[in-house]
Amino acid sequence: MKISNRRIIFWLLWIGISAQLFSVSFAKAADKENCLMCHKYRSNARIDETGKKRNFHVNEKLYNRSVHRNISCRDCHTYITKIPHDPVTQKVNCANQCHIRPPFAQEKFSHKKIIDLYNESAHGVKPDDPQVLKDALPNCKFCHLNPLYTKISEKRVAYKETLARCYNCHPESGVIMAYKHITHRLRKRTSRSSRKIVKLCTKCHGDNVLMKKLNVSKKALRAVDTYNRSVHGKLVRLGSQKAANCINCHASSALHDINKRDNKKATINKDNIMQVCRQCHKNADQMFINIAVHPEAVHSGNPIIKLVSISLGLGMYGSVLALVGLLLLETLGRRKDGARLLLKRGTIWYGKQKSKSPKNK
Amino acid sequence: MATTFETALKPFPLPAETEDEGYYTYVEEVGFIPRDIFKYVASDPMGDLQRFSTHIVIQHTLFFISFLVLASTGLPIYFSDVFWAPYVISFYGGIDIARLIHKIGAITMVITSMYHLLTIMGGTAIKIFRKEFDLKRTQIPRLKDLYDLIHDIKYFIGLEPYRPKMEKFMYKQKFHYIAVTYGTFVLTAAGSALLFPDIAAKLLPQTIGKILPPSMVGAQSFAAFFQDLARLMHADEAILALIVLAFWHWINVHFVPGRFPLQWAFLTGKITREHQIEEHFLEYLNNLKEIPEEREYMTRLLKEKGLGPLEEKPSKQKKCTLSDFPRIN
């Protein structure tokens, strides 16, 4: 077989590019404080006083591919001041400023903007909330401690071609990350798959015991069940990236402005919901937005629908039973003509007559 | 193939022995046809007599394939929480591809339905034009079908000696045809609403919501009501259709005695002679009228058995009719 030179060059290039990509993804973390000296060991774990297993192992490879790879450990674990360090009693505060100064900005980086937004949302803790509610509300870490090793794929985007443009001015190694950082956010609302978002919100909103304790509205109590029953929910459960997940509808691109329906700022507020649906349903109008996206079971509510449902059910069982009954009757009835199920003889009339003649009484 | 079964032919007695009216049907130039002759005729399993035109065979094939594709992509979505659903979806290469395939299936089904409507309307028009149209040979239900059903049930439980003499389409087939027509209509309408909910909501004028009493359509607008209805109907109709097809149509057509491994009519468009005589006797008489070879065959067979045509024409009073010839003496 003849392999053209062009093809060989293509494969060599391809191997080269993928090797490049890998080398970038495993870039060294900013472990200036050398914390990994101890924390890279998998045996760095113990069972604590309450009998819970604790794992202090930090997987370097995974860490180096995480979003926080460029942040030094002590930017978050600020309370560690010496090495070897004292037993840790404090928690990480997501509002910390870190030592990274992002491009286009003067101050050091922090999540302040998101935290402000978040504190105003339905999930933010308000001073006069009862204690049960305070305990139940999610903090940043509840939603973000979930490991995010695999981002949803961007296979279908012709990204190598576009990226090549950046090499005109920037060195390859750095700009790939920058490019991904930007384009990924242009294309996708979230880095998690829709299924993972639903799983995240379900952890609390699907927990009926917890929600009952908080005295949420009936709609809110059944939100996950009803969503799962909807076509959006079914498609997402099967892995669709196109159907709406909770974040698509309940948050704007700020991602954390999840509010109650009657809040003017809520995306699901009557005044804003049309924009939400129009992300995907271009022709959404005033009529459309009334369609239930958290549909209740068909039997509750509308009497016509209930009637249709019942009659369809009756029709189904009725006709199936009647038809199968007729079929059995026919099969048995035709036996006296000699029609029996014999595998051998095929489609013709078979089976011996019982009587000698067709008509012999 | 046909000759293989010639041995099945056995002599049977002269018409004189029977007591039943209608046991023999006299057809001029052919002879006395006993009602249960179907047990003695030669039959090619692939079919002897034309029943469906090529158009119908193509339509059936398209409909059949698109139905299976639709059911196998739609059911896992509806039952998305059941363990087998993800496997079926991954078989199709992911949910978004399965959705696309579902839509292609739907379009195929709609086009097939249109094609079918065109052919039956065109065919009927041509028949009317040639003055060949016969209502009895169509799928249109008649009162006779009800009587046939009752007659048939009586036969099955032993109250009637023979099955009814039925037209080209018997009661079962007419029922099924209506069910499929209705089901396709509902599935298409509801499916369009699921596929283009925004357009459906636009098309449905708000006035409909105003005409119906608010308690009937619920507090929300008519669009919301209709969407709820579409969600319900689409799934329920589909499941109903699948169950009827799998548990009745297939068994009824292919698995019952006498038809067992397969009835090839859905590919060849031809029905076997014995089946035609057993369940579509009146259509068989039409065949005798229209197909010279068939007439020859039957004449030969009847002559062999001593049931050939009368030598002389019977007297005026004794004029034989096709459907109900009294026994001769």
Side-chain angles (χ1 to χ4, degrees), chain B residues 106-157:
Chain B
I107 292 168
T108 313
M109 188 175 264
V110 171
I111 291 176
T112 310
S113 310
M114 305 275 199
Y115 175 24
H116 178 66
L117 280 181
L118 272 183
T119 45
I120 55 167
M121 289 196 302
T124 308
I126 291 173
K127 277 192 190 131
I128 290 176
F129 182 69
R130 292 196 194 143
K131 303 222 159 50
E132 280 173 5
F133 181 72
D134 184 358
L135 186 81
K136 293 184 204 141
R137 295 175 80 176
T138 67
Q139 285 276 19
I140 298 168
R142 297 158 56 208
L143 202 56
K144 178 173 188 301
D145 297 312
L146 185 64
Y147 295 145
D148 283 348
L149 170 64
I150 295 167
H151 184 148
D152 227 0
I153 291 178
K154 276 185 173 168
Y155 166 77
F156 296 145
I157 57 181

Side-chain angles (χ1 to χ4, degrees), chain A residues 150-215:
Chain A
T150 45
K151 287 191 180 170
I152 41 181
S153 107
E154 301 197 12
K155 255 182 280 176
R156 282 184 221 146
V157 185
Y159 110 105
K160 267 179 243 158
E161 289 81 346
T162 331
L163 186 58
R165 281 292 304 277
C166 313
Y167 303 156
N168 288 347
C169 304
H170 295 290
E172 269 177 49
S173 54
V175 83
I176 290 178
M177 261 10 251
Y179 177 81
K180 280 188 174 170
H181 180 88
I182 295 168
T183 55
H184 173 74
R185 282 174 172 76
L186 293 180
R187 288 185 213 110
K188 301 269 160 62
R189 176 70 75 83
T190 59
S191 307
R192 295 167 214 236
S193 63
S194 292
R195 215 182 332 195
K196 278 198 186 143
I197 299 274
V198 172
K199 214 166 150 194
L200 173 62
C201 307
T202 302
K203 268 190 202 155
C204 299
H205 288 280
D207 184 347
N208 274 354
V209 180
L210 173 73
M211 285 294 147
K212 265 208 189 100
K213 214 161 49 185
L214 298 176
N215 257 334

Side-chain angles (χ1 to χ4, degrees), chain B residues 7-23:
Chain B
T7 46
L9 293 172
K10 292 219 173 87
F12 45 74
L14 278 172
E17 283 181 30
T18 175
E19 292 296 315
D20 297 305
E21 296 242 340
Y23 176 59

Side-chain angles (χ1 to χ4, degrees), chain A residues 330 333-334 337 339 349, chain B residues 35-39 41 152 155-156 162-166 170 257-259 271-282 284:
Chain A
E330 178 177 333
R334 284 171 71 234
D337 270 349
W349 193 264
Chain B
R35 183 66 189 89
D36 50 359
I37 185 102
F38 56 85
K39 295 184 197 169
V41 294
D152 227 0
Y155 166 77
F156 296 145
Y162 298 105
R163 299 192 66 177
K165 294 170 183 172
M166 289 179 283
M170 64 191 287
R259 331 254 186 265
I271 187 171
T272 63
R273 184 177 286 124
E274 54 162 53
H275 186 185
Q276 184 84 318
I277 301 176
E278 186 192 1
E279 288 196 335
H280 310 289
F281 189 79
L282 300 180
Y284 185 69

